[in-house]
Amino acid sequence: MIRLLQPDLYVRSLCDIPLAHLKARGIRGLIIDLDNTVTEWGRATLDRGVRRWFADLKEEGIRACLVSNNRSGRVKKVADALGIPGISRAGKPRRRAFRQAMAVMETEASSTAVIGDQVFTDILGGNRLGLYTVLVMPINSREFIGTRMMRHVERLFTRHLPVADLSGYDKRP
Ligand SMILES: [Mg+2]
């Protein structure tokens, strides 16, 4: 069980994930969480760094799909703004939405990574399917009360996790 809660990579933010690192692992598609991974919780504003990171993805031919447990309006708004597909009310850590996303991106488990800020939804769901999992630190501490409670449990796992030193990688492959 504990193994299923461990990410393959732990980084500060989405923009810190070097695409060269993903490509070297054969990753061609990314399942990306919305709240506190791409935007602040409950908001739809995208900062410039995030937009650029998504533009780099496209340039590198890496596909992406937003997969969020949140309701559809915001997921669609952000997905449309980024020009990628989005799946809302995903029910993570259930596997259904992850499989759906892989079908949309036409990727396999071995060529798909999950990126998210929560161990019990994003990382657990990804690991259950044998995907490469990347945990990011939440953008902001403002979030859903249920999530805030889970953070206490989550910290038991994340406080010992080393944050990856990716300074050796070029951010732009
Ligand atoms: Mg999240």
Side-chain angles (χ1 to χ4, degrees):
M1 180 68 185
I2 287 191
R3 201 178 47 80
L4 282 176
L5 295 170
Q6 272 167 355
D8 293 301
L9 187 68
Y10 185 29
V11 293
R12 278 183 208 290
S13 83
L14 195 67
C15 303
D16 282 345
I17 304 169
L19 304 186
H21 174 77
L22 296 177
K23 285 191 104 173
R25 301 196 59 100
I27 302 297
R28 295 186 299 108
L30 304 177
I31 293 173
I32 307 176
D33 170 54
L34 174 60
D35 288 296
N36 263 332
T37 297
V38 172
T39 64
E40 288 184 34
W41 176 67
R43 307 234 165 120
T45 335
L46 292 162
D47 78 38
R48 196 186 302 170
V50 169
R51 281 181 189 275
R52 182 170 308 138
W53 187 83
F54 275 95
D56 289 348
L57 274 190
K58 281 215 175 90
E59 237 167 70
E60 290 303 320
I62 299 176
R63 295 183 177 170
C65 181
L66 285 184
V67 173
S68 171
N69 284 356
N70 218 316
R71 61 180 191 276
S72 62
R74 256 186 65 250
V75 178
K76 185 171 179 348
K77 193 171 170 188
V78 177
D80 286 352
L82 293 170
I84 59 174
I87 298 171
S88 54
R89 298 189 188 281
K92 296 178 283 185
R94 291 178 59 201
R95 286 166 287 192
R96 185 180 49 91
F98 291 86
R99 290 200 183 104
Q100 253 178 339
M102 285 194 276
V104 169
M105 297 189 293
E106 297 174 315
T107 56
E108 313 278 314
S110 59
S111 55
T112 309
V114 177
I115 304 170
D117 70 302
Q118 285 193 61
V119 168
F120 292 101
T121 54
D122 307 305
I123 303 307
L124 176 59
N127 282 340
R128 286 178 76 198
L129 280 170
L131 311 182
Y132 186 73
T133 50
V134 183
L135 181 68
V136 298
M137 294 182 184
I139 293 176
N140 197 297
S141 57
R142 205 178 65 84
E143 55 197 354
F144 175 59
I145 177 110
T147 310
R148 237 165 28 215
M149 293 192 306
M150 286 308 285
R151 292 286 184 204
H152 294 291
V153 189
E154 198 172 83
R155 257 191 293 276
L156 298 175
F157 295 93
T158 55
R159 69 182 171 181
H160 298 301
L161 278 180
V163 177
D165 175 16
L166 298 165
S167 50
Y169 281 101
D170 243 342
K171 280 199 185 171
R172 298 178 70 99

